Amino acid sequence: MILSIVVAIAENNAIGKDNQLLWHLPADLKHFKDITSGHTIIMGRKTYDSIGRPLPNRRNIVITRNTELNLPGTEVTNRLDEALKLCATEEEVFIIGGAELYKHALEVTDRIYLTRVHQAFEADTFFPEIAPGTWNETSIENHQPDEKNGLAYTFSTLERK
C-alpha cells in the first residue's frame, strides 16, 4: 500500500483557521477530488466536522478519541495504525487532515500531493515542516491567478527518497 498525504498549504505552512480552509481555490478542490475519488480517505474528526459529511465515491475513515462516535457513511477508529489495517490491501490510501493526523502520518507517508498557495495567511493550524532531503519532487505544475482562482498556486508531488 502507498500511503499518501493530500494537503494544501500556504507559504507559512498554514492550513486552517477556526476549523475552516483559508482560501477558496476551485482548481485545488477539483485536483483533490480527481486524486482521491475511488480510494480510501482517512481524516481526523475535526476535519470530518469541517466537511460535514462523508465525501462521495470514497471510503471514509475517521480517526477520533471517541470510539462511541457514530458517523453514518464512515468507519470510525481511534488510531492511525488501526485505520491503516482496515485498508491494508488497497493500492493507495490518502490522509486528508487535519494537522494532528498529518503530524503522525508524515513519518510513514510514501507520497505527498502538495498544493502550495503562494501567500501567507493568519491561521491557527499548520502543516508540519517537510524535512529537506527526505523527498524528491516528481511533478510540478505552476498556476497563476485567474477568474476562478484568485491566488497563485503550485501542484507538486513529492515521493519519499
Side-chain angles (χ1 to χ4, degrees), residues 2-5 102-112 130-131 133-138 157-161:
I2 296 169
L3 181 61
S4 297
I5 284 176
Y102 285 141
K103 185 173 116 183
H104 293 295
L106 190 57
E107 64 191 45
V108 295
T109 295
D110 303 299
R111 181 178 294 150
I112 301 173
I130 298 173
T134 305
W135 302 91
N136 286 321
E137 188 171 53
T138 59
T157 305
L158 307 176
E159 302 276 348
R160 186 175 295 279
K161 288 185 177 178

mmCIF file with all atom_site columns, all heavy atoms in Angstrom, residues 2-5 102-112 130-131 133-138 157-161:
data_model
loop_
_atom_site.group_PDB
_atom_site.id
_atom_site.type_symbol
_atom_site.label_atom_id
_atom_site.label_alt_id
_atom_site.label_comp_id
_atom_site.label_asym_id
_atom_site.label_entity_id
_atom_site.label_seq_id
_atom_site.pdbx_PDB_ins_code
_atom_site.Cartn_x
_atom_site.Cartn_y
_atom_site.Cartn_z
_atom_site.occupancy
_atom_site.B_iso_or_equiv
_atom_site.pdbx_formal_charge
_atom_site.auth_seq_id
_atom_site.auth_comp_id
_atom_site.auth_asym_id
_atom_site.auth_atom_id
_atom_site.pdbx_PDB_model_num
ATOM 1   N N   . ILE A 1 2   ? 0.492  2.199  -0.833  1.00 0.00 ? 2   ILE A N   1
ATOM 2   C CA  . ILE A 1 2   ? 1.128  3.514  -0.825  1.00 0.00 ? 2   ILE A CA  1
ATOM 3   C C   . ILE A 1 2   ? 0.299  4.407  0.087   1.00 0.00 ? 2   ILE A C   1
ATOM 4   O O   . ILE A 1 2   ? -0.908 4.542  -0.106  1.00 0.00 ? 2   ILE A O   1
ATOM 5   C CB  . ILE A 1 2   ? 1.183  4.110  -2.245  1.00 0.00 ? 2   ILE A CB  1
ATOM 6   C CG1 . ILE A 1 2   ? 2.058  3.245  -3.152  1.00 0.00 ? 2   ILE A CG1 1
ATOM 7   C CG2 . ILE A 1 2   ? 1.688  5.551  -2.203  1.00 0.00 ? 2   ILE A CG2 1
ATOM 8   C CD1 . ILE A 1 2   ? 1.950  3.609  -4.617  1.00 0.00 ? 2   ILE A CD1 1
ATOM 9   N N   . LEU A 1 3   ? 0.943  4.994  1.089   1.00 0.00 ? 3   LEU A N   1
ATOM 10  C CA  . LEU A 1 3   ? 0.270  5.934  1.969   1.00 0.00 ? 3   LEU A CA  1
ATOM 11  C C   . LEU A 1 3   ? 0.615  7.337  1.508   1.00 0.00 ? 3   LEU A C   1
ATOM 12  O O   . LEU A 1 3   ? 1.794  7.698  1.446   1.00 0.00 ? 3   LEU A O   1
ATOM 13  C CB  . LEU A 1 3   ? 0.685  5.732  3.430   1.00 0.00 ? 3   LEU A CB  1
ATOM 14  C CG  . LEU A 1 3   ? -0.010 6.664  4.428   1.00 0.00 ? 3   LEU A CG  1
ATOM 15  C CD1 . LEU A 1 3   ? -1.530 6.462  4.405   1.00 0.00 ? 3   LEU A CD1 1
ATOM 16  C CD2 . LEU A 1 3   ? 0.535  6.431  5.827   1.00 0.00 ? 3   LEU A CD2 1
ATOM 17  N N   . SER A 1 4   ? -0.415 8.095  1.150   1.00 0.00 ? 4   SER A N   1
ATOM 18  C CA  . SER A 1 4   ? -0.224 9.437  0.611   1.00 0.00 ? 4   SER A CA  1
ATOM 19  C C   . SER A 1 4   ? -0.936 10.464 1.468   1.00 0.00 ? 4   SER A C   1
ATOM 20  O O   . SER A 1 4   ? -1.980 10.188 2.052   1.00 0.00 ? 4   SER A O   1
ATOM 21  C CB  . SER A 1 4   ? -0.777 9.515  -0.814  1.00 0.00 ? 4   SER A CB  1
ATOM 22  O OG  . SER A 1 4   ? -0.074 8.641  -1.672  1.00 0.00 ? 4   SER A OG  1
ATOM 23  N N   . ILE A 1 5   ? -0.347 11.639 1.503   1.00 0.00 ? 5   ILE A N   1
ATOM 24  C CA  . ILE A 1 5   ? -0.975 12.803 2.122   1.00 0.00 ? 5   ILE A CA  1
ATOM 25  C C   . ILE A 1 5   ? -1.422 13.710 0.993   1.00 0.00 ? 5   ILE A C   1
ATOM 26  O O   . ILE A 1 5   ? -0.698 13.913 0.018   1.00 0.00 ? 5   ILE A O   1
ATOM 27  C CB  . ILE A 1 5   ? 0.020  13.542 3.046   1.00 0.00 ? 5   ILE A CB  1
ATOM 28  C CG1 . ILE A 1 5   ? 0.196  12.778 4.367   1.00 0.00 ? 5   ILE A CG1 1
ATOM 29  C CG2 . ILE A 1 5   ? -0.416 14.977 3.301   1.00 0.00 ? 5   ILE A CG2 1
ATOM 30  C CD1 . ILE A 1 5   ? 1.233  13.378 5.315   1.00 0.00 ? 5   ILE A CD1 1
ATOM 31  N N   . TYR A 1 102 ? -1.790 14.683 10.198  1.00 0.00 ? 102 TYR A N   1
ATOM 32  C CA  . TYR A 1 102 ? -0.644 14.897 9.309   1.00 0.00 ? 102 TYR A CA  1
ATOM 33  C C   . TYR A 1 102 ? 0.661  14.686 10.064  1.00 0.00 ? 102 TYR A C   1
ATOM 34  O O   . TYR A 1 102 ? 1.588  14.050 9.563   1.00 0.00 ? 102 TYR A O   1
ATOM 35  C CB  . TYR A 1 102 ? -0.657 16.314 8.726   1.00 0.00 ? 102 TYR A CB  1
ATOM 36  C CG  . TYR A 1 102 ? -1.662 16.576 7.639   1.00 0.00 ? 102 TYR A CG  1
ATOM 37  C CD1 . TYR A 1 102 ? -2.329 17.794 7.586   1.00 0.00 ? 102 TYR A CD1 1
ATOM 38  C CD2 . TYR A 1 102 ? -1.934 15.645 6.635   1.00 0.00 ? 102 TYR A CD2 1
ATOM 39  C CE1 . TYR A 1 102 ? -3.233 18.079 6.572   1.00 0.00 ? 102 TYR A CE1 1
ATOM 40  C CE2 . TYR A 1 102 ? -2.839 15.918 5.626   1.00 0.00 ? 102 TYR A CE2 1
ATOM 41  C CZ  . TYR A 1 102 ? -3.484 17.131 5.594   1.00 0.00 ? 102 TYR A CZ  1
ATOM 42  O OH  . TYR A 1 102 ? -4.374 17.425 4.598   1.00 0.00 ? 102 TYR A OH  1
ATOM 43  N N   . LYS A 1 103 ? 0.743  15.228 11.278  1.00 0.00 ? 103 LYS A N   1
ATOM 44  C CA  . LYS A 1 103 ? 1.965  15.116 12.083  1.00 0.00 ? 103 LYS A CA  1
ATOM 45  C C   . LYS A 1 103 ? 2.318  13.650 12.341  1.00 0.00 ? 103 LYS A C   1
ATOM 46  O O   . LYS A 1 103 ? 3.466  13.242 12.192  1.00 0.00 ? 103 LYS A O   1
ATOM 47  C CB  . LYS A 1 103 ? 1.772  15.865 13.406  1.00 0.00 ? 103 LYS A CB  1
ATOM 48  C CG  . LYS A 1 103 ? 2.993  15.923 14.275  1.00 0.00 ? 103 LYS A CG  1
ATOM 49  C CD  . LYS A 1 103 ? 2.741  16.829 15.469  1.00 0.00 ? 103 LYS A CD  1
ATOM 50  C CE  . LYS A 1 103 ? 2.816  16.001 16.718  1.00 0.00 ? 103 LYS A CE  1
ATOM 51  N NZ  . LYS A 1 103 ? 2.523  16.759 17.933  1.00 0.00 ? 103 LYS A NZ  1
ATOM 52  N N   . HIS A 1 104 ? 1.322  12.843 12.691  1.00 0.00 ? 104 HIS A N   1
ATOM 53  C CA  . HIS A 1 104 ? 1.571  11.427 12.975  1.00 0.00 ? 104 HIS A CA  1
ATOM 54  C C   . HIS A 1 104 ? 1.832  10.617 11.712  1.00 0.00 ? 104 HIS A C   1
ATOM 55  O O   . HIS A 1 104 ? 2.618  9.668  11.731  1.00 0.00 ? 104 HIS A O   1
ATOM 56  C CB  . HIS A 1 104 ? 0.400  10.824 13.750  1.00 0.00 ? 104 HIS A CB  1
ATOM 57  C CG  . HIS A 1 104 ? 0.263  11.373 15.131  1.00 0.00 ? 104 HIS A CG  1
ATOM 58  N ND1 . HIS A 1 104 ? 1.205  11.188 16.109  1.00 0.00 ? 104 HIS A ND1 1
ATOM 59  C CD2 . HIS A 1 104 ? -0.696 12.141 15.696  1.00 0.00 ? 104 HIS A CD2 1
ATOM 60  C CE1 . HIS A 1 104 ? 0.838  11.802 17.215  1.00 0.00 ? 104 HIS A CE1 1
ATOM 61  N NE2 . HIS A 1 104 ? -0.317 12.399 16.987  1.00 0.00 ? 104 HIS A NE2 1
ATOM 62  N N   . ALA A 1 105 ? 1.184  10.984 10.617  1.00 0.00 ? 105 ALA A N   1
ATOM 63  C CA  . ALA A 1 105 ? 1.298  10.203 9.382   1.00 0.00 ? 105 ALA A CA  1
ATOM 64  C C   . ALA A 1 105 ? 2.545  10.538 8.576   1.00 0.00 ? 105 ALA A C   1
ATOM 65  O O   . ALA A 1 105 ? 3.025  9.695  7.819   1.00 0.00 ? 105 ALA A O   1
ATOM 66  C CB  . ALA A 1 105 ? 0.056  10.419 8.522   1.00 0.00 ? 105 ALA A CB  1
ATOM 67  N N   . LEU A 1 106 ? 3.068  11.739 8.740   1.00 0.00 ? 106 LEU A N   1
ATOM 68  C CA  . LEU A 1 106 ? 4.160  12.189 7.879   1.00 0.00 ? 106 LEU A CA  1
ATOM 69  C C   . LEU A 1 106 ? 5.363  11.245 7.920   1.00 0.00 ? 106 LEU A C   1
ATOM 70  O O   . LEU A 1 106 ? 5.972  10.972 6.892   1.00 0.00 ? 106 LEU A O   1
ATOM 71  C CB  . LEU A 1 106 ? 4.577  13.619 8.249   1.00 0.00 ? 106 LEU A CB  1
ATOM 72  C CG  . LEU A 1 106 ? 5.537  14.305 7.289   1.00 0.00 ? 106 LEU A CG  1
ATOM 73  C CD1 . LEU A 1 106 ? 4.976  14.369 5.878   1.00 0.00 ? 106 LEU A CD1 1
ATOM 74  C CD2 . LEU A 1 106 ? 5.860  15.706 7.785   1.00 0.00 ? 106 LEU A CD2 1
ATOM 75  N N   . GLU A 1 107 ? 5.668  10.700 9.082   1.00 0.00 ? 107 GLU A N   1
ATOM 76  C CA  . GLU A 1 107 ? 6.858  9.842  9.203   1.00 0.00 ? 107 GLU A CA  1
ATOM 77  C C   . GLU A 1 107 ? 6.700  8.500  8.486   1.00 0.00 ? 107 GLU A C   1
ATOM 78  O O   . GLU A 1 107 ? 7.690  7.838  8.199   1.00 0.00 ? 107 GLU A O   1
ATOM 79  C CB  . GLU A 1 107 ? 7.225  9.640  10.663  1.00 0.00 ? 107 GLU A CB  1
ATOM 80  C CG  . GLU A 1 107 ? 6.173  8.906  11.473  1.00 0.00 ? 107 GLU A CG  1
ATOM 81  C CD  . GLU A 1 107 ? 6.428  8.957  12.964  1.00 0.00 ? 107 GLU A CD  1
ATOM 82  O OE1 . GLU A 1 107 ? 6.752  10.036 13.477  1.00 0.00 ? 107 GLU A OE1 1
ATOM 83  O OE2 . GLU A 1 107 ? 6.286  7.901  13.598  1.00 0.00 ? 107 GLU A OE2 1
ATOM 84  N N   . VAL A 1 108 ? 5.462  8.089  8.184   1.00 0.00 ? 108 VAL A N   1
ATOM 85  C CA  . VAL A 1 108 ? 5.244  6.802  7.497   1.00 0.00 ? 108 VAL A CA  1
ATOM 86  C C   . VAL A 1 108 ? 4.645  6.979  6.101   1.00 0.00 ? 108 VAL A C   1
ATOM 87  O O   . VAL A 1 108 ? 4.308  6.008  5.431   1.00 0.00 ? 108 VAL A O   1
ATOM 88  C CB  . VAL A 1 108 ? 4.357  5.849  8.337   1.00 0.00 ? 108 VAL A CB  1
ATOM 89  C CG1 . VAL A 1 108 ? 5.064  5.448  9.617   1.00 0.00 ? 108 VAL A CG1 1
ATOM 90  C CG2 . VAL A 1 108 ? 2.996  6.454  8.623   1.00 0.00 ? 108 VAL A CG2 1
ATOM 91  N N   . THR A 1 109 ? 4.552  8.219  5.645   1.00 0.00 ? 109 THR A N   1
ATOM 92  C CA  . THR A 1 109 ? 3.969  8.527  4.347   1.00 0.00 ? 109 THR A CA  1
ATOM 93  C C   . THR A 1 109 ? 4.970  8.278  3.232   1.00 0.00 ? 109 THR A C   1
ATOM 94  O O   . THR A 1 109 ? 6.151  8.573  3.369   1.00 0.00 ? 109 THR A O   1
ATOM 95  C CB  . THR A 1 109 ? 3.498  10.002 4.333   1.00 0.00 ? 109 THR A CB  1
ATOM 96  O OG1 . THR A 1 109 ? 2.438  10.128 5.274   1.00 0.00 ? 109 THR A OG1 1
ATOM 97  C CG2 . THR A 1 109 ? 3.019  10.436 2.974   1.00 0.00 ? 109 THR A CG2 1
ATOM 98  N N   . ASP A 1 110 ? 4.448  7.765  2.117   1.00 0.00 ? 110 ASP A N   1
ATOM 99  C CA  . ASP A 1 110 ? 5.277  7.494  0.940   1.00 0.00 ? 110 ASP A CA  1
ATOM 100 C C   . ASP A 1 110 ? 5.250  8.636  -0.073  1.00 0.00 ? 110 ASP A C   1
ATOM 101 O O   . ASP A 1 110 ? 6.204  8.841  -0.819  1.00 0.00 ? 110 ASP A O   1
ATOM 102 C CB  . ASP A 1 110 ? 4.768  6.230  0.224   1.00 0.00 ? 110 ASP A CB  1
ATOM 103 C CG  . ASP A 1 110 ? 4.760  5.030  1.144   1.00 0.00 ? 110 ASP A CG  1
ATOM 104 O OD1 . ASP A 1 110 ? 5.841  4.657  1.636   1.00 0.00 ? 110 ASP A OD1 1
ATOM 105 O OD2 . ASP A 1 110 ? 3.668  4.475  1.384   1.00 0.00 ? 110 ASP A OD2 1
ATOM 106 N N   . ARG A 1 111 ? 4.122  9.358  -0.121  1.00 0.00 ? 111 ARG A N   1
ATOM 107 C CA  . ARG A 1 111 ? 3.917  10.360 -1.172  1.00 0.00 ? 111 ARG A CA  1
ATOM 108 C C   . ARG A 1 111 ? 3.113  11.523 -0.591  1.00 0.00 ? 111 ARG A C   1
ATOM 109 O O   . ARG A 1 111 ? 2.247  11.325 0.245   1.00 0.00 ? 111 ARG A O   1
ATOM 110 C CB  . ARG A 1 111 ? 3.143  9.716  -2.321  1.00 0.00 ? 111 ARG A CB  1
ATOM 111 C CG  . ARG A 1 111 ? 2.870  10.588 -3.507  1.00 0.00 ? 111 ARG A CG  1
ATOM 112 C CD  . ARG A 1 111 ? 2.132  9.814  -4.598  1.00 0.00 ? 111 ARG A CD  1
ATOM 113 N NE  . ARG A 1 111 ? 2.989  8.766  -5.140  1.00 0.00 ? 111 ARG A NE  1
ATOM 114 C CZ  . ARG A 1 111 ? 2.535  7.608  -5.630  1.00 0.00 ? 111 ARG A CZ  1
ATOM 115 N NH1 . ARG A 1 111 ? 1.250  7.324  -5.630  1.00 0.00 ? 111 ARG A NH1 1
ATOM 116 N NH2 . ARG A 1 111 ? 3.385  6.709  -6.103  1.00 0.00 ? 111 ARG A NH2 1
ATOM 117 N N   . ILE A 1 112 ? 3.413  12.725 -1.079  1.00 0.00 ? 112 ILE A N   1
ATOM 118 C CA  . ILE A 1 112 ? 2.640  13.910 -0.707  1.00 0.00 ? 112 ILE A CA  1
ATOM 119 C C   . ILE A 1 112 ? 2.158  14.584 -1.980  1.00 0.00 ? 112 ILE A C   1
ATOM 120 O O   . ILE A 1 112 ? 2.967  14.924 -2.855  1.00 0.00 ? 112 ILE A O   1
ATOM 121 C CB  . ILE A 1 112 ? 3.471  14.913 0.118   1.00 0.00 ? 112 ILE A CB  1
ATOM 122 C CG1 . ILE A 1 112 ? 4.005  14.272 1.397   1.00 0.00 ? 112 ILE A CG1 1
ATOM 123 C CG2 . ILE A 1 112 ? 2.633  16.154 0.447   1.00 0.00 ? 112 ILE A CG2 1
ATOM 124 C CD1 . ILE A 1 112 ? 4.979  15.155 2.180   1.00 0.00 ? 112 ILE A CD1 1
ATOM 125 N N   . ILE A 1 130 ? 8.251  20.030 6.212   1.00 0.00 ? 130 ILE A N   1
ATOM 126 C CA  . ILE A 1 130 ? 8.654  18.933 5.327   1.00 0.00 ? 130 ILE A CA  1
ATOM 127 C C   . ILE A 1 130 ? 10.174 18.936 5.318   1.00 0.00 ? 130 ILE A C   1
ATOM 128 O O   . ILE A 1 130 ? 10.796 19.894 4.853   1.00 0.00 ? 130 ILE A O   1
ATOM 129 C CB  . ILE A 1 130 ? 8.072  19.118 3.915   1.00 0.00 ? 130 ILE A CB  1
ATOM 130 C CG1 . ILE A 1 130 ? 6.544  19.095 3.976   1.00 0.00 ? 130 ILE A CG1 1
ATOM 131 C CG2 . ILE A 1 130 ? 8.610  18.053 2.962   1.00 0.00 ? 130 ILE A CG2 1
ATOM 132 C CD1 . ILE A 1 130 ? 5.847  19.438 2.669   1.00 0.00 ? 130 ILE A CD1 1
ATOM 133 N N   . ALA A 1 131 ? 10.759 17.881 5.854   1.00 0.00 ? 131 ALA A N   1
ATOM 134 C CA  . ALA A 1 131 ? 12.216 17.824 6.023   1.00 0.00 ? 131 ALA A CA  1
ATOM 135 C C   . ALA A 1 131 ? 12.924 17.836 4.672   1.00 0.00 ? 131 ALA A C   1
ATOM 136 O O   . ALA A 1 131 ? 12.653 16.984 3.822   1.00 0.00 ? 131 ALA A O   1
ATOM 137 C CB  . ALA A 1 131 ? 12.596 16.569 6.805   1.00 0.00 ? 131 ALA A CB  1
ATOM 138 N N   . GLY A 1 133 ? 15.654 17.073 1.944   1.00 0.00 ? 133 GLY A N   1
ATOM 139 C CA  . GLY A 1 133 ? 16.491 15.902 1.760   1.00 0.00 ? 133 GLY A CA  1
ATOM 140 C C   . GLY A 1 133 ? 15.756 14.584 1.930   1.00 0.00 ? 133 GLY A C   1
ATOM 141 O O   . GLY A 1 133 ? 16.319 13.527 1.671   1.00 0.00 ? 133 GLY A O   1
ATOM 142 N N   . THR A 1 134 ? 14.510 14.632 2.369   1.00 0.00 ? 134 THR A N   1
ATOM 143 C CA  . THR A 1 134 ? 13.726 13.418 2.594   1.00 0.00 ? 134 THR A CA  1
ATOM 144 C C   . THR A 1 134 ? 12.849 13.079 1.390   1.00 0.00 ? 134 THR A C   1
ATOM 145 O O   . THR A 1 134 ? 12.449 11.943 1.217   1.00 0.00 ? 134 THR A O   1
ATOM 146 C CB  . THR A 1 134 ? 12.829 13.601 3.841   1.00 0.00 ? 134 THR A CB  1
ATOM 147 O OG1 . THR A 1 134 ? 13.653 13.971 4.938   1.00 0.00 ? 134 THR A OG1 1
ATOM 148 C CG2 . THR A 1 134 ? 12.076 12.333 4.194   1.00 0.00 ? 134 THR A CG2 1
ATOM 149 N N   . TRP A 1 135 ? 12.582 14.080 0.552   1.00 0.00 ? 135 TRP A N   1
ATOM 150 C CA  . TRP A 1 135 ? 11.609 13.937 -0.534  1.00 0.00 ? 135 TRP A CA  1
ATOM 151 C C   . TRP A 1 135 ? 12.197 14.341 -1.875  1.00 0.00 ? 135 TRP A C   1
ATOM 152 O O   . TRP A 1 135 ? 13.007 15.257 -1.953  1.00 0.00 ? 135 TRP A O   1
ATOM 153 C CB  . TRP A 1 135 ? 10.377 14.811 -0.246  1.00 0.00 ? 135 TRP A CB  1
ATOM 154 C CG  . TRP A 1 135 ? 9.733  14.473 1.052   1.00 0.00 ? 135 TRP A CG  1
ATOM 155 C CD1 . TRP A 1 135 ? 10.011 15.033 2.279   1.00 0.00 ? 135 TRP A CD1 1
ATOM 156 C CD2 . TRP A 1 135 ? 8.744  13.481 1.293   1.00 0.00 ? 135 TRP A CD2 1
ATOM 157 N NE1 . TRP A 1 135 ? 9.230  14.445 3.247   1.00 0.00 ? 135 TRP A NE1 1
ATOM 158 C CE2 . TRP A 1 135 ? 8.441  13.497 2.671   1.00 0.00 ? 135 TRP A CE2 1
ATOM 159 C CE3 . TRP A 1 135 ? 8.057  12.586 0.472   1.00 0.00 ? 135 TRP A CE3 1
ATOM 160 C CZ2 . TRP A 1 135 ? 7.501  12.640 3.239   1.00 0.00 ? 135 TRP A CZ2 1
ATOM 161 C CZ3 . TRP A 1 135 ? 7.122  11.746 1.037   1.00 0.00 ? 135 TRP A CZ3 1
ATOM 162 C CH2 . TRP A 1 135 ? 6.851  11.781 2.404   1.00 0.00 ? 135 TRP A CH2 1
ATOM 163 N N   . ASN A 1 136 ? 11.748 13.655 -2.932  1.00 0.00 ? 136 ASN A N   1
ATOM 164 C CA  . ASN A 1 136 ? 12.035 14.051 -4.302  1.00 0.00 ? 136 ASN A CA  1
ATOM 165 C C   . ASN A 1 136 ? 10.765 14.618 -4.911  1.00 0.00 ? 136 ASN A C   1
ATOM 166 O O   . ASN A 1 136 ? 9.706  13.991 -4.808  1.00 0.00 ? 136 ASN A O   1
ATOM 167 C CB  . ASN A 1 136 ? 12.458 12.840 -5.157  1.00 0.00 ? 136 ASN A CB  1
ATOM 168 C CG  . ASN A 1 136 ? 13.847 12.371 -4.842  1.00 0.00 ? 136 ASN A CG  1
ATOM 169 O OD1 . ASN A 1 136 ? 14.743 13.169 -4.606  1.00 0.00 ? 136 ASN A OD1 1
ATOM 170 N ND2 . ASN A 1 136 ? 14.028 11.059 -4.834  1.00 0.00 ? 136 ASN A ND2 1
ATOM 171 N N   . GLU A 1 137 ? 10.868 15.774 -5.538  1.00 0.00 ? 137 GLU A N   1
ATOM 172 C CA  . GLU A 1 137 ? 9.717  16.331 -6.235  1.00 0.00 ? 137 GLU A CA  1
ATOM 173 C C   . GLU A 1 137 ? 9.647  15.673 -7.610  1.00 0.00 ? 137 GLU A C   1
ATOM 174 O O   . GLU A 1 137 ? 10.560 15.815 -8.420  1.00 0.00 ? 137 GLU A O   1
ATOM 175 C CB  . GLU A 1 137 ? 9.862  17.847 -6.361  1.00 0.00 ? 137 GLU A CB  1
ATOM 176 C CG  . GLU A 1 137 ? 8.636  18.532 -6.885  1.00 0.00 ? 137 GLU A CG  1
ATOM 177 C CD  . GLU A 1 137 ? 8.754  20.037 -6.782  1.00 0.00 ? 137 GLU A CD  1
ATOM 178 O OE1 . GLU A 1 137 ? 9.762  20.579 -7.275  1.00 0.00 ? 137 GLU A OE1 1
ATOM 179 O OE2 . GLU A 1 137 ? 7.849  20.655 -6.209  1.00 0.00 ? 137 GLU A OE2 1
ATOM 180 N N   . THR A 1 138 ? 8.574  14.924 -7.860  1.00 0.00 ? 138 THR A N   1
ATOM 181 C CA  . THR A 1 138 ? 8.456  14.162 -9.108  1.00 0.00 ? 138 THR A CA  1
ATOM 182 C C   . THR A 1 138 ? 7.568  14.833 -10.144 1.00 0.00 ? 138 THR A C   1
ATOM 183 O O   . THR A 1 138 ? 7.594  14.440 -11.309 1.00 0.00 ? 138 THR A O   1
ATOM 184 C CB  . THR A 1 138 ? 7.941  12.736 -8.829  1.00 0.00 ? 138 THR A CB  1
ATOM 185 O OG1 . THR A 1 138 ? 6.672  12.811 -8.185  1.00 0.00 ? 138 THR A OG1 1
ATOM 186 C CG2 . THR A 1 138 ? 8.934  11.956 -7.964  1.00 0.00 ? 138 THR A CG2 1
ATOM 187 N N   . THR A 1 157 ? 4.054  16.864 -6.589  1.00 0.00 ? 157 THR A N   1
ATOM 188 C CA  . THR A 1 157 ? 4.037  15.542 -5.989  1.00 0.00 ? 157 THR A CA  1
ATOM 189 C C   . THR A 1 157 ? 5.423  15.266 -5.446  1.00 0.00 ? 157 THR A C   1
ATOM 190 O O   . THR A 1 157 ? 6.419  15.443 -6.150  1.00 0.00 ? 157 THR A O   1
ATOM 191 C CB  . THR A 1 157 ? 3.635  14.456 -7.018  1.00 0.00 ? 157 THR A CB  1
ATOM 192 O OG1 . THR A 1 157 ? 2.375  14.808 -7.596  1.00 0.00 ? 157 THR A OG1 1
ATOM 193 C CG2 . THR A 1 157 ? 3.544  13.086 -6.358  1.00 0.00 ? 157 THR A CG2 1
ATOM 194 N N   . LEU A 1 158 ? 5.475  14.856 -4.188  1.00 0.00 ? 158 LEU A N   1
ATOM 195 C CA  . LEU A 1 158 ? 6.737  14.515 -3.530  1.00 0.00 ? 158 LEU A CA  1
ATOM 196 C C   . LEU A 1 158 ? 6.737  13.025 -3.209  1.00 0.00 ? 158 LEU A C   1
ATOM 197 O O   . LEU A 1 158 ? 5.750  12.498 -2.698  1.00 0.00 ? 158 LEU A O   1
ATOM 198 C CB  . LEU A 1 158 ? 6.880  15.311 -2.232  1.00 0.00 ? 158 LEU A CB  1
ATOM 199 C CG  . LEU A 1 158 ? 6.715  16.832 -2.315  1.00 0.00 ? 158 LEU A CG  1
ATOM 200 C CD1 . LEU A 1 158 ? 6.780  17.442 -0.914  1.00 0.00 ? 158 LEU A CD1 1
ATOM 201 C CD2 . LEU A 1 158 ? 7.738  17.443 -3.228  1.00 0.00 ? 158 LEU A CD2 1
ATOM 202 N N   . GLU A 1 159 ? 7.833  12.357 -3.513  1.00 0.00 ? 159 GLU A N   1
ATOM 203 C CA  . GLU A 1 159 ? 7.998  10.937 -3.209  1.00 0.00 ? 159 GLU A CA  1
ATOM 204 C C   . GLU A 1 159 ? 9.124  10.803 -2.204  1.00 0.00 ? 159 GLU A C   1
ATOM 205 O O   . GLU A 1 159 ? 10.175 11.436 -2.342  1.00 0.00 ? 159 GLU A O   1
ATOM 206 C CB  . GLU A 1 159 ? 8.362  10.147 -4.471  1.00 0.00 ? 159 GLU A CB  1
ATOM 207 C CG  . GLU A 1 159 ? 7.363  10.260 -5.605  1.00 0.00 ? 159 GLU A CG  1
ATOM 208 C CD  . GLU A 1 159 ? 6.209  9.309  -5.497  1.00 0.00 ? 159 GLU A CD  1
ATOM 209 O OE1 . GLU A 1 159 ? 6.271  8.369  -4.659  1.00 0.00 ? 159 GLU A OE1 1
ATOM 210 O OE2 . GLU A 1 159 ? 5.232  9.499  -6.240  1.00 0.00 ? 159 GLU A OE2 1
ATOM 211 N N   . ARG A 1 160 ? 8.916  9.958  -1.202  1.00 0.00 ? 160 ARG A N   1
ATOM 212 C CA  . ARG A 1 160 ? 9.960  9.743  -0.203  1.00 0.00 ? 160 ARG A CA  1
ATOM 213 C C   . ARG A 1 160 ? 11.185 9.133  -0.873  1.00 0.00 ? 160 ARG A C   1
ATOM 214 O O   . ARG A 1 160 ? 11.077 8.243  -1.689  1.00 0.00 ? 160 ARG A O   1
ATOM 215 C CB  . ARG A 1 160 ? 9.458  8.824  0.919   1.00 0.00 ? 160 ARG A CB  1
ATOM 216 C CG  . ARG A 1 160 ? 10.480 8.690  2.052   1.00 0.00 ? 160 ARG A CG  1
ATOM 217 C CD  . ARG A 1 160 ? 9.950  7.898  3.214   1.00 0.00 ? 160 ARG A CD  1
ATOM 218 N NE  . ARG A 1 160 ? 8.832  8.528  3.889   1.00 0.00 ? 160 ARG A NE  1
ATOM 219 C CZ  . ARG A 1 160 ? 8.934  9.498  4.791   1.00 0.00 ? 160 ARG A CZ  1
ATOM 220 N NH1 . ARG A 1 160 ? 10.121 9.988  5.117   1.00 0.00 ? 160 ARG A NH1 1
ATOM 221 N NH2 . ARG A 1 160 ? 7.863  10.000 5.374   1.00 0.00 ? 160 ARG A NH2 1
ATOM 222 N N   . LYS A 1 161 ? 12.362 9.654  -0.527  1.00 0.00 ? 161 LYS A N   1
ATOM 223 C CA  . LYS A 1 161 ? 13.622 9.132  -1.080  1.00 0.00 ? 161 LYS A CA  1
ATOM 224 C C   . LYS A 1 161 ? 13.888 7.745  -0.548  1.00 0.00 ? 161 LYS A C   1
ATOM 225 O O   . LYS A 1 161 ? 13.513 7.394  0.557   1.00 0.00 ? 161 LYS A O   1
ATOM 226 C CB  . LYS A 1 161 ? 14.791 10.042 -0.722  1.00 0.00 ? 161 LYS A CB  1
ATOM 227 C CG  . LYS A 1 161 ? 14.778 11.345 -1.483  1.00 0.00 ? 161 LYS A CG  1
ATOM 228 C CD  . LYS A 1 161 ? 16.021 12.150 -1.163  1.00 0.00 ? 161 LYS A CD  1
ATOM 229 C CE  . LYS A 1 161 ? 16.036 13.425 -1.976  1.00 0.00 ? 161 LYS A CE  1
ATOM 230 N NZ  . LYS A 1 161 ? 17.178 14.250 -1.663  1.00 0.00 ? 161 LYS A NZ  1
#
